[in-house]
Amino acid sequence: MPVLKNVELTKKANIYFDGKVTSRSFVDEKGIKKSLGIMMPGEYTFGTNEAEHMEIIAGKVEVLVACGDSNWETYGPGEYFEVPANCSFDIKVIEITDYCCTYIG
Amino acid sequence: MPVLKNVELTKKANIYFDGKVTSRSFVDEKGIKKSLGIMMPGEYTFGTNEAEHMEIIAGKVEVLVACGDSNWETYGPGEYFEVPANCSFDIKVIEITDYCCTYIG
C-alpha cells in the first residue's frame, strides 16, 4: 500500500453534503496541495476554483464535467479525471469511493 | 487549524460499517501510529488490539468501554477517552464526528 512521506496533514476534516463526502487536506513533499476523501453513494455537484486531478483509489463513479464538450464517463480504481478551474462537475457515486484529489492550478 | 508535519500518510482509506466509519492511517513525526477518521451517526462496537486514545475533534459521541468499571460517558470537541488493549467499546455517534485516534500500546 502506497505511503506518502513528509506530508503536512491538516487535522480537521472537510465535511460536505452532511458527511456523505469527507476529505483530509494535505501538502505533499513537493509542496503540492492534495486531499484524500471518501464519497458515499449519491449524486453531488462540485465547483472548482483550481483545476483538479481526481484519482479513484477504490469504488466507482460516473462523472459529467460541466465545461467543454464532455459526456458522462465511468471511472474505477486506478483511473482519473480532470476538471478545469472555475468549472464544475456532476458525480454519481455508484459504490463507496476512496479518492485522491490533486490541485493542479 | 493544526497541521501535522512530517507525517507518513497511507493513501488507501480504512472503511468500516459500509463506510459509516472511515479513517486514514498515518505515522506522526515521532513515529507514533495514529488515524484521523469520520463516524456518521449510528451505533458501533470496536475491538482494540492496542490501547487507544480517542480525541474528538468535532461532533458528539456516547461511549461505553467494555472492560473495567465504566459507564456511558459523553464526549465532544476537545475531549477524549481511552480504551485498554484487547478490550472493546460501544459508541453511539450522536452527531457526525471527526476524530483522531492514537495507538498508545
Side-chain angles (χ1 to χ4, degrees), chain A residues 64-76:
Chain A
L64 179 67
V65 176
C67 41
D69 289 329
S70 57
N71 298 304
W72 284 97
E73 302 282 355
T74 302
Y75 302 94

Side-chain angles (χ1 to χ4, degrees), chain A residues 31-53:
Chain A
I32 297 169
K33 287 192 303 176
K34 302 188 176 195
S35 64
L36 284 166
I38 295 283
M39 293 183 284
M40 298 292 279
E43 298 187 29
Y44 314 100
T45 299
F46 288 95
T48 59
N49 293 313
E50 297 170 87
E52 298 183 6
H53 173 104

